[in-house]
Structures are given as structure tokens and as C-alpha cells.
């Protein structure tokens, strides 16, 4: 039996190397990445940078060259910090794109390989199947029912049917679109059938390359949370600009010093701007997606990182997700009732030869389908089967599986030209092909139930007689004879029971949706620890339910069997209507609507089709269910750390804005100048992405219910806690400043004490929020980063106080040791009070 003529073995390694030297890589252009110049231009339009430049200009107008140059240096340092942060995000996204790069199946040196699509060269033999995106322009050498959606190139959404190229056929000048073409084009989608094609053009030489089309692997569109924070920052920015403008007018009107008023307004405006919100979120989402990739979960859309932590229902396929997808043919049951439990390489009784022979004829060698591979491997290994493999027969027609008939039939021609037909598929479908009488059908159903109850996946096999002449249009036109049943064993992954238990402990329900027999599904579900108390709901029963009935059913049932891919969408919608946050796995073309409709669509990275991967927000790289649960854990950790950093940013801006505004309104000497705001910001920016992003998960992370999707990540409770923490620190810092002034100390000494206290309190707030008040060890991998930032901040502040020219530029003075300790103690006492309030709130919530 041969699927391809012998010459179609593909390129050798030497031929591939030579073709690559001549044609290069199969890529149109690398995904857009912002360079250093682009990032720097973006920073130059940021309000903080512009305010720094204005402040530097004012100081120069006042003749204060030192402060002007210092603020200019701070402006450059701000650019450097933002560029560093964005490069981290860009690098994480670049790595994600590499993980999500499209793959191609090729035949090289007679072996079928899966390679990155960019490694294709002209002359390569491509294997194309339903749901795959064509990775290069190619000419078909073999095709069975192949149709492609070429709307990317033609604008026509109707699929066009393809045929193999004729010997010596002229191909130049053929354009995309229209039925009957032997050409397939890069970027188009195979929607039916399969084929073998030879690559003609790659990269920029393809049809899509010539018009500059490209498909992105990672979608970096802004998430709802990013949009929400952007709106918040715009409102706060507008408010800061308004209040800063009023402060300038008030200062100039009351004191007649307009330039100093401008400086006071700039300091207040800089203190009010929470520009860290969008930066922290962008870094967290990019690095969070990279952390998910480390547990084999590829987040194609940043919104998936947000949503994963809220998942309340995981709807998973059985084969390859809960099981190992290592299908093995375990049982043979012939039509006469004789049965055999197979051992690898064992001898097969003669009575079972026809059953396995027909199963091989109904399968494809080199296929990706695990059952086809298991059948062929068993036949090749079984002694006495060599004469039944028919290596010299030619495949003349294939009847693919359809939603109406869940069976595959293949027609072959022997050396004498005699036709032979074999079919395999769902037992009820093959029984329909064989027109079994009711009594025999009842016997078959009993045999199927018995095999399925053992956790075996069951297929039926039949052989047929073809009518004379051309192959008929449909499989039903053959006269089929029932040959028996095949039972396949696919072991449960060892990690699944523990992962299911973890998910249930975390308040996440697990539902199995499979095309398998109900008894098989229930047997595997029991082994996995999935709730089977309500039994299984079959696709036939599902179709008979109205929407209200289905919503009632999904509240109880956790096993869905004999489900068609198109029915998955109804299940997703029913679960969502019942208030669940749904994560759905899928791998086929018909799964795409359900994957798009689910809150979190999860495509299979190995056996999933390209269209499924493009519809999904997440790609499961190794298809292990435990990875999904690991993704939920990582998603919850990312959500927690985002909440922590948002609380911190809110908290630290309260004392910064307060000490910039309140002393001025009270008639006291200005406490905070623009340079002091920048000094504080130099601590905030790196801390946000280092200490907080690296913070470990909270205790009991997977023992609490998921966060409702409608609950805001940055909600009123978080803002209130941030305002409380910031208010306590503001009171301590202002208290130190006022006491110092009333004690007769110079205003530069009082300013120094206040800013030292503010810096100490700032670091204390980092500890409190990053650790949840659980000690420095709880800061986790962010502890080293926190230590470096604290050491640098302390060193810079010490230099600002002890180096004479810096001290003069910043209007600092060396304070008395006792007063210095008192200012630091007051700030840390404010942090301690905030920690006590935090612990009290946590204890109160835990006691409910």
C-alpha cells in the first residue's frame, strides 16, 4: 500500500542547505518591534519628561545652573529607565512569538517531520490537512477532497477546491481564486481534505509576501484593564494639570513670584501623575505571559493572563489532554464473537486477520491521527500479517469523516485493478453503513458498552464491495459487511488526578467534553477524579434540550460524551449564562467558534489545527491538563501581584502629592521641589517591575474561590487601602517637617528630615505590599531586587546629604542624628500602623 509515489521522498539535508543559501528563510518580515529610537521618541512625549524639561528651563531662567543641569540629568535617567522597562517587555513578547511561531509538516528523505515554517525551502514537500494554514506557495502533487479559503488574497470567502497538478502542466500565470487550481498559497487556510504539495516560493516571493501581508503570532492589543487604567491616568493627569495650574496662579497672585509658582506647580503635577500604572501593567502582562510559557502555557493575548486567574470552569477534551495521547490497539472483537487482548509483537489468530487488514486499509500511513498510527503499528508488528498489508495497492478514493457520518472509507485498487473498500469509525456509523438488523445492532451495542466500560475507545470496521465503474459519490453506495470492533487504550496522564483535585480545591470545576462513547468517558472521568454523580450527557440528548434545559443540565453534569464540535459552542454559552467563567480546550476547525466564545479559549499546541490556535487566547504547548491548572495558578499569582503593585502606587502618591501641596497652602516653606519628586520616582519605577513582579504566590492561593470576572482588579477596596497607607505616611512625614520647623531648625534641615522619612516610608510600603506583611522572606525572588533598590536609594540619599555641591543643589542640610532617627522612626511607625490595619482586615475576611 503506498500513499505517494516513490520519487516523492522530499529533499535531502544537502539539498535543503543549498536551497536555503539560495532563497533564505521563509519569512516576510519579523514581527514589529520597537527600537531604542522609537521607544525614546515615545518617552519624549510623556508628561513626566516634559515637566522635567520645563522645570529645568525655569531653573536656568532663574540663573540656577546646578539645579537646571541636575533636572536635565534626571530627565535622561527617566528616559533610560523607561527604555529598560519597555525593552524587557519587548524581549518577553519576542520570546513568546518564537514559541508561537507557525509549524509545517514536511517530508524529507522519506521521513515526515514537523519544523518551524520559517525553515521551509523551495522544493520541500508539504503535508497539508484540514485546519492548517498553508506556510508557503506550493503546487499540489497529491490531493484528496482538498479545499482552501483564499479570502486573504481574493476577498472571496467561499472555499475553492483544489486538484493535483498534471504532468508538464504550465503553472506560470495562475492566480489565486477559482476552483480547479493546482496551486496553494501562503497564508490561506485548508478547510477540507488533505494533500501533498511541493514548495514553489517562500517569504517575500509568495503572493502574500508581494502584497506585504503578514500574520502576527502574538496579539498585543490592549486589554480591558489596560484601557481602564489608561482612562484613570488621563483623568488623574487632567486633574493634576488643573490643580497645578491653580497652584501656580495662587502662588503668583499671593506672593508675586511667578517663576517659583511654576516650580511649585510642576512639583505638584509630577507628584500627582501616576504614570507607573500603565507601565507596571504592561510589564506585568508581558513578563506574566513569559512566566506562563515556562509552564508550557502560551498566552497569545494579554487579556488571557488577566482572565486565567478568574476561571471557574475548565472544559477539557479527553484524548491527549487528560490522557497521554499514546493510543495503543488493545482489543480485537471479530464479528463471530472471537476476541483477543493484544500484546505488542504477538501472533494474531488467522480469524482476526480480516478485521485488522480492513482496519489498515481504512487508515493512512504517516497520518497524525493516533488511532491510524496505532492500527498501522500493530499490523506491522504482528506476526503473520505481512501478506495482508498490500504495499502495492493504490489508493483511488477517500470518503472523509463528516458530521453526518462519523466514519472514514477508503477505496483501493489491487495489482489486477480490482476494487477494495474498507471503512472504520464510530460503531453506530459503521453499523448504519452495514444496515445491521435490530437484533444484531443490540448485540453490537452490548459489546461496545462492555469495551467502553473498561475505558477503551471503540471503533468499528467493515469491508465493502464497490459497484463497477467510477467510485460512487458517497460511502453509502457500497455494500459493506460488518467485521468487528477495535478497542484502543489511551492511559490517563499520571499528573491528572492531582491536577483535578487541585482545581476543585481552588473552586474550579472540571468538565470533560469528548466525542467518545459515554461509558468510555465515564470510566476515564472516574480515574481522573471528575464528578460523575450525574452520569454523562450525550450529544444526542444535548440536541434535544432547549436552552433553559441545557442550562439546568450543565449545573449538574460534568461529563459530556458523543459531542459534536459544533455543539461545544452551545455548552460554552450555557455555562456562561449560568455565571461560569469558562476555559475551553479545542483542536479542530469546528472548535474555533467555541474557543472564541469562551472567556479563555485553549488550543492544543501539538495536534491542534492552525485555525484553532488562531481562535484561542492560549495555546497549550504540551497538551497536559496539569499545565492548565498550572496556568490558573500562575494567573492568580499575577493578579495578586498586580493588586499589590497598584496598592503601592496609590499609597506612595498620596504623601508625595501631599507634601508638595499642603506646606505651600499652609504658608510654610516649600518642602518638595521637582528634583525631590524625581529622586522618589527613581525608587518607584524599578521597584514596581522588580520587587512586585517577582513576588511569590500567596499562601492558600489554590484554596480560595476564583475572582469573579466582573469584579474589578483595581477596585474601591484596593484604592481605599492605598489611600489609607499613603495617608498614614503623609501624616508622619508632614509631622516631622512641622516639628523640625517649630524646633527652630533651618528649612533645609527640615526638608532633609522629611525626605529621608519619605524614602524610608516608601521602602516600608514596598515591603508591606510585596510581602503582604509576612516578612522580607515573603518578597521572594523580588527580595534581591528590593535589596539592591533599597541600597541604591539609601546611597543616593546619603550622597545628596553629605556631598556639599549636591546638598546645595537639592537644598538639603546635614540633620542632627537624633532628629534623623526620629524622622525615620515616625515613617516606619506609620508603615507599622498600616501593616496592623492590613492584618486586621485579612483576619476579618478569613473569619467570615
Amino acid at each position: 500500500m503506498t500513499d505517494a509515489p516513490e520519487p516523492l521522498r522530499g529533499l535531502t539535508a544537502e539539498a535543503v542547505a543549498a536551497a536555503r543559501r539560495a532563497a533564505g528563510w521563509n519569512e516576510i518580515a519579523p514581527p514589529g518591534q520597537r527600537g531604542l529610537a522609537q521607544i525614546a521618541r515615545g518617552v519624549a512625549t510623556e508628561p513626566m519628561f516634559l515637566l522635567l524639561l520645563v522645570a529645568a528651563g525655569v531653573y536656568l531662567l532663574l540663573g540656577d545652573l546646578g539645579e537646571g543641569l541636575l533636572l536635565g540629568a534626571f530627565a535622561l535617567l527617566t528616559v533610560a529607565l523607561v527604555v529598560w522597562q519597555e525593552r524587557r517587555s519587548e524581549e518577553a513578547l519576542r520570546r513568546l512569538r518564537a514559541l508561537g511561531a507557525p509549524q509545517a509538516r514536511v517530508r524529507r528523505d522519506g521521513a515526515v517531520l514537523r519544523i518551524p515554517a520559517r525553515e521551509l525551502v523551495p522544493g520541500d514537500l508539504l503535508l497539508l490537512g484540514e485546519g492548517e494554514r498553508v506556510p508557503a506557495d506550493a503546487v499540489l502533487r497529491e490531493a484528496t477532497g482538498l479545499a482552501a479559503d483564499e479570502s486573504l488574497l481574493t476577498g472571496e470567502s467561499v472555499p475553492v477546491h483544489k486538484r493535483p497538478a498534471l504532468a508538464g502542466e504550465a503553472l506560470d500565470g495562475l492566480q489565486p481564486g477559482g476552483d480547479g487550481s493546482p496551486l496553494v498559497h501562503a497564508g490561506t487556510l485548508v478547510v477540507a481534505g488533505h494533500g501533498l504539495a511541493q514548495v514553489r516560493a517562500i517569504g517575500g516571493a509568495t503572493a502574500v509576501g508581494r502584497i506585504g501581508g503578514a500574520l502576527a503570532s502574538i496579539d498585543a492589543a490592549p486589554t480591558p484593564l489596560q484601557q481602564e487604567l489608561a482612562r484613570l491616568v488621563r483623568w488623574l493627569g487632567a486633574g493634576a494639570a488643573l490643580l497645578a495650574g491653580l497652584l501656580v496662579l495662587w502662588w503668583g497672585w499671593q506672593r508675586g513670584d511667578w517663576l517659583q509658582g511654576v516650580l511649585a506647580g510642576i512639583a505638584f503635577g509630577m507628584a500627582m501623575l501616576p504614570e507607573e500604572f500603565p507601565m507596571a501593567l504592561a510589564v506585568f502582562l508581558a513578563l506574566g505571559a513569559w512566566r506562563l510559557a515556562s509552564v508550557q502555557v502560551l498566552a497569545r493575548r494579554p487579556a488571557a493572563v488577566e482572565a486565567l486567574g478568574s476561571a471557574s470552569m475548565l472544559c477539557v477534551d479527553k484524548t491527549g489532554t487528560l490522557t497521554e495521547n499514546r493510543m495503543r490497539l488493545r482489543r480485537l472483537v471479530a464479528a463471530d464473537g472471537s476476541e483477543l487482548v493484544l500484546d505488542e509483537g504477538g501472533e494474531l489468530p488467522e480469524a482476526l486477520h480480516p478485521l485488522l487488514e480492513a482496519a489498515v486499509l481504512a487508515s493512512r500511513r504517516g497520518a497524525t491521527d493516533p488511532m491510524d498510527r496505532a492500527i498501522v503499528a500493530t499490523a506491522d508488528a504482528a506476526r503473520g500479517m505481512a501478506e495482508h498489508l498490500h504495499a502495492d495497492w493504490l489508493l483511488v478514493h477517500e470518503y472523509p469523516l463528516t458530521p453526518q457520518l462519523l466514519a472514514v472509507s477508503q477505496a483501493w485498487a489491487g495489482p489486477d485493478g480490482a476494487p477494495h473498500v474498507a471503512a472504520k469509525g464510530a460503531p453506530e456509523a459503521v453499523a448504519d453503513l452495514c444496515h445491521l438488523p435490530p437484533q444484531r445492532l443490540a448485540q453490537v451495542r452490548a459489546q461496545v458498552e462492555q469495551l467502553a466500560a473498561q475505558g477503551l475507545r471503540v471503533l468499528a470496521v467493515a469491508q465493502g464491495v464497490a459497484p463497477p465503474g467510477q467510485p460512487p459519490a458517497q460511502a453509502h453506495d457500497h455494500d459493506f459487511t460488518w467485521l468487528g470492533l477495535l478497542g484502543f487504550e489511551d492511559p490517563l496522564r499520571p499528573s491528572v488526578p492531582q491536577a483535578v483535585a487541585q482545581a476543585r480545591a481552588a473552586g474550579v470545576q472540571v468538565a470533560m467534553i469528548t466525542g467518545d462513547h459515554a461509558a468510555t468517558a465515564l470510566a476515564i472521568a472516574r480515574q481522573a477524579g471528575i464528578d460523575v454523580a450525574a452520569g454523562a450527557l450525550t450529544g444526542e440528548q444535548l440536541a434535544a434540550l432547549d436552552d433553559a434545559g441545557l442550562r439546568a443540565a450543565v449545573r449538574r453534569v460534568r461529563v459530556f460524551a458523543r459531542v459534536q464540535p459544533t455543539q461545544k459552542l452551545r455548552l460554552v454559552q450555557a455555562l456562561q449564562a449560568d455565571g461560569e467563567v469558562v476555559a475551553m480546550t479545542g483542536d479542530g476547525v469546528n472548535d474555533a467558534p467555541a474557543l472564541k466564545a469562551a472567556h479563555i479559549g485553549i488550543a492544543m499546541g501539538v495536534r491542534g489545527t492552525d485555525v484553532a490556535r488562531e481562535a484561542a487566547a492560549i495555546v497549550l504547548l504540551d497538551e497536559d491538563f496539569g499545565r492548565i491548572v498550572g496556568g490558573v495558578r500562575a494567573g492568580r499569582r499575577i493578579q495578586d501581584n498586580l493588586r499589590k503593585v497598584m496598592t503601592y502606587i496609590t499609597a506612595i502618591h498620596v504623601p508625595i502629592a501631599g507634601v508638595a501641596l499642603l506646606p505651600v497652602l499652609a504658608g510654610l516653606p516649600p518642602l518638595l521641589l521637582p528634583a525631590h519628586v524625581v529622586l522618589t520616582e527613581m525608587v518607584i519605577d524599578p521597584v514596581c517591575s522588580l520587587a512586585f513582579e517577582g513576588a511569590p504566590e500567596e499562601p492558600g492561593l489554590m484554596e480560595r474561590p476564583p475572582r469573579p470576572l466582573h469584579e474589578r482588579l483595581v477596585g474601591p477596596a484596593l484604592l481605599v487601602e492605598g489611600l489609607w497607607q499613603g495617608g498614614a505616611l503623609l501624616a508622619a512625614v508632614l509631622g516631622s517637617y512641622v516639628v523640625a520647623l517649630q524646633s527652630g531648625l533651618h528649612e533645609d534641615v527640615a526638608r532633609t528630615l522629611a525626605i529621608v522619612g519619605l524614602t524610608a516610608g516608601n521602602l516600608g510600603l514596598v515591603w508591606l505590599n510585596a510581602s503582604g506583611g509576612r516578612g522580607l522572606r515573603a518578597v521572594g525572588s523580588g527580595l534581591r531586587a528590593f535589596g539592591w533598590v533599597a541600597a541604591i536609594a539609601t546611597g543616593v540619599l546619603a550622597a545628596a546629604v553629605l556631598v556639599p555641591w549636591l546638598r546645595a543643589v537639592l537644598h538639603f542640610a546635614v540633620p542632627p542624628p537624633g532628629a534623623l532617627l526620629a524622622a525615620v522612626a515616625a515613617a516606619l511607625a506609620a508603615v507599622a500602623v498600616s501593616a496592623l490595619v492590613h492584618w486586621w482586615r485579612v483576619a476579618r475576611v478569613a473569619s467570615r
Side-chain angles (χ1 to χ4, degrees):
M1 180 177 64
T2 57
D3 288 78
E6 189 61 19
L8 295 182
R9 292 180 51 82
L11 299 178
T12 62
E14 293 78 11
V16 169
R20 180 161 299 126
R21 284 194 295 272
W25 297 96
N26 180 34
E27 54 189 4
I28 298 169
Q33 181 171 334
R34 298 205 302 161
L36 291 174
Q38 288 175 296
I39 295 173
R41 278 198 299 271
V43 177
T45 62
E46 291 292 326
M48 181 66 75
F49 181 77
L50 296 176
L51 286 173
L52 277 172
L53 290 184
V54 172
V58 171
Y59 275 118
L60 292 175
L61 286 175
L62 291 171
D64 197 334
L65 181 62
E67 289 208 33
L69 293 176
L70 181 64
L71 285 179
F74 279 150
L76 292 177
L77 186 57
T78 299
V79 172
L81 276 173
V82 174
V83 168
W84 173 69
Q85 299 270 42
E86 294 217 11
R87 292 293 286 180
R88 281 185 88 198
S89 300
E90 291 278 354
E91 178 62 18
L93 285 174
R94 186 193 64 76
R95 293 178 182 177
L96 289 176
R97 287 189 179 100
L99 285 174
Q103 303 283 303
R105 291 182 298 132
V106 297
R107 186 181 291 163
R108 288 180 178 173
D109 266 336
V112 175
L113 308 173
R114 182 177 285 273
I115 63 172
R118 74 184 296 268
E119 295 181 8
L120 285 171
V121 296
D124 257 328
L125 289 180
L126 272 176
L127 281 78
L128 299 173
E130 180 181 339
E132 293 180 336
R133 209 166 271 286
V134 181
D137 284 4
V139 56
L140 284 165
R141 299 303 180 194
E142 299 174 0
T144 301
L146 194 143
D149 177 354
E150 297 186 340
S151 57
L152 177 73
L153 297 172
T154 65
E156 293 292 333
S157 59
V158 178
V160 293
H161 296 277
K162 299 292 182 178
R163 61 168 176 83
L166 303 174
E169 181 177 1
L171 302 174
D172 292 338
L174 293 179
Q175 298 298 318
D179 286 328
S181 170
L183 299 182
V184 289
H185 301 277
T188 62
L189 182 68
V190 179
V191 296
H194 55 85
L196 183 72
Q198 191 166 25
V199 175
R200 300 180 72 220
I202 63 172
T206 62
V208 72
R210 288 193 295 272
I211 61 174
L215 296 171
S217 296
I218 302 294
D219 178 3
T223 72
L225 180 57
Q226 284 177 310
Q227 294 170 342
E228 181 183 331
L229 283 179
R231 285 193 297 270
L232 176 63
V233 170
R234 283 196 298 271
W235 278 104
L236 289 175
L242 177 63
L243 291 175
L246 292 175
L247 180 60
V248 171
L249 293 174
W250 178 85
W251 188 290
W253 185 265
Q254 289 290 320
R255 303 191 181 184
D257 191 345
W258 290 95
L259 286 179
Q260 284 295 338
V262 168
L263 290 175
I266 288 173
F268 177 69
M270 291 169 63
M272 280 282 290
L273 273 178
E275 81 285 352
E276 302 89 358
F277 273 139
M279 174 63 73
L281 182 59
V283 169
F284 268 56
L285 290 180
L287 296 183
W290 179 243
R291 287 183 184 276
L292 286 175
S294 69
V295 294
Q296 300 296 300
V297 178
L298 174 61
R300 293 186 64 253
R301 299 187 183 100
V305 180
E306 294 175 33
L308 255 180
S310 299
S312 63
M313 176 67 71
L314 302 180
C315 297
V316 297
D317 190 17
K318 176 182 74 67
T319 304
T321 307
L322 297 177
T323 63
E324 294 181 356
N325 201 25
R326 192 166 46 86
M327 205 70 74
R328 185 162 72 97
L329 185 53
R330 185 66 174 160
R331 303 286 284 270
L332 295 178
V333 181
D336 62 4
S338 56
E339 190 172 339
L340 178 69
V341 178
L342 285 170
D343 293 317
E344 291 187 22
E347 187 161 357
L348 195 68
E350 187 66 34
L352 293 172
H353 282 183
L355 175 59
L356 189 54
E357 176 185 6
V360 172
L361 291 174
S363 305
R364 284 198 301 135
R365 282 189 179 273
T368 56
D369 183 273
M371 285 181 288
D372 278 11
R373 293 164 61 184
I375 290 169
V376 171
T378 301
D380 287 346
R383 293 193 294 272
M385 275 295 294
E387 63 185 83
H388 299 281
L389 296 182
H390 307 300
D392 55 345
W393 287 15
L394 182 66
L395 179 65
V396 295
H397 198 74
E398 180 178 348
Y399 302 92
L401 181 143
T402 66
Q404 294 75 33
L405 183 68
L406 299 177
V408 173
S409 303
Q410 297 193 147
W412 298 85
D416 57 356
H420 302 270
V421 184
K424 78 173 191 306
E428 57 268 30
V430 177
D432 184 38
L433 284 174
C434 297
H435 307 294
L436 294 183
Q439 185 177 358
R440 180 73 179 106
L441 189 57
Q443 293 173 348
V444 167
R445 284 175 176 161
Q447 290 175 324
V448 171
E449 290 284 348
Q450 184 181 11
L451 293 172
Q454 300 169 39
L456 299 179
R457 186 165 187 178
V458 185
L459 293 183
V461 179
Q463 66 180 7
V465 177
Q470 290 294 319
Q474 55 184 0
H476 268 292
D477 293 335
H478 297 90
D479 185 12
F480 281 103
T481 301
W482 179 271
L483 291 181
L485 299 170
L486 309 176
F488 296 85
E489 180 181 67
D490 188 10
L492 191 74
R493 291 183 185 269
S495 62
V496 165
Q498 181 181 1
V500 170
Q502 284 180 351
R504 295 179 71 172
V508 182
Q509 296 297 310
V510 181
M512 178 199 292
I513 302 177
T514 178
D516 258 355
H517 193 279
T520 305
L522 287 169
I524 296 295
R526 287 190 193 93
Q527 296 175 34
I530 296 173
D531 184 6
V532 296
L537 184 72
T538 66
E540 186 178 352
Q541 294 168 331
L542 189 155
L545 293 173
D546 60 14
D547 289 345
L550 184 56
R551 282 200 302 273
V554 297
R555 294 189 192 109
R556 302 176 295 102
V557 180
R558 293 293 174 262
V559 179
F560 302 88
R562 280 290 188 256
V563 173
Q564 297 285 337
T566 51
Q567 292 178 316
K568 287 186 177 182
L569 179 59
R570 278 199 73 201
L571 283 171
V572 169
Q573 291 169 336
L575 289 164
Q576 289 174 329
D578 202 40
E580 303 287 358
V581 178
V582 182
M584 165 72 75
T585 67
D587 56 10
V589 175
N590 292 331
D591 291 335
L595 292 176
K596 272 195 171 294
H599 295 103
I600 310 152
I602 304 174
M604 300 296 103
V606 178
R607 59 192 165 90
T609 59
D610 290 339
V611 72
R613 285 192 288 268
E614 289 165 10
I618 282 176
V619 178
L620 203 60
L621 297 177
D622 68 355
E623 307 194 353
D624 185 346
F625 172 76
R627 303 298 189 186
I628 304 177
V629 179
V632 171
R633 177 186 290 274
R636 290 190 177 190
R637 174 179 169 273
I638 291 165
Q639 283 188 351
D640 279 356
N641 289 346
L642 266 173
R643 284 174 178 262
K644 291 174 182 177
V645 76
M646 296 305 173
T647 303
Y648 164 73
I649 293 171
T650 303
I652 194 57
H653 274 278
V654 172
I656 295 174
V659 297
L661 178 66
L662 295 179
V664 173
L665 296 180
L668 299 174
L671 195 165
L672 216 57
L673 301 176
H676 305 136
V677 178
V678 178
L679 269 179
T680 308
E681 295 285 349
M682 293 301 107
V683 176
I684 295 173
D685 281 346
V687 159
C688 288
S689 63
L690 292 175
F692 284 95
E693 199 280 327
E697 66 182 48
E698 290 287 314
L701 180 76
M702 294 296 282
E703 296 169 10
R704 68 189 191 209
R707 177 181 69 89
L709 197 63
H710 58 79
E711 180 185 302
R712 289 186 171 184
L713 198 63
V714 184
L718 181 149
L719 294 175
V720 166
E721 182 165 5
L723 291 173
W724 161 256
Q725 292 178 9
L729 181 57
L730 172 61
V733 172
L734 276 180
S736 297
Y737 185 60
V738 171
V739 168
L741 290 174
Q742 290 180 347
S743 300
L745 295 175
H746 190 274
E747 67 178 71
D748 286 353
V749 176
R751 179 181 295 111
T752 304
L753 291 172
I755 290 177
V756 167
L758 179 62
T759 303
N762 186 1
L763 295 174
L765 289 177
V766 173
W767 161 77
L768 172 60
N769 289 289
S771 70
R774 290 180 286 115
L776 281 176
R777 288 183 180 274
V779 182
S781 60
L783 176 59
R784 181 179 297 178
F786 171 72
W788 277 108
V789 170
I792 292 170
T794 303
V796 168
L797 194 58
V801 173
L802 298 176
V803 177
W805 70 269
L806 274 176
R807 187 167 63 234
V809 167
L810 293 169
H811 301 282
F812 280 167
V814 178
L820 184 66
L821 289 175
V824 171
L828 295 181
V831 174
V833 170
S834 296
L836 289 172
V837 172
H838 174 79
W839 290 330
W840 172 75
R841 287 181 63 255
V842 170
R844 191 178 67 167
V845 170
S847 65
R848 287 177 182 172

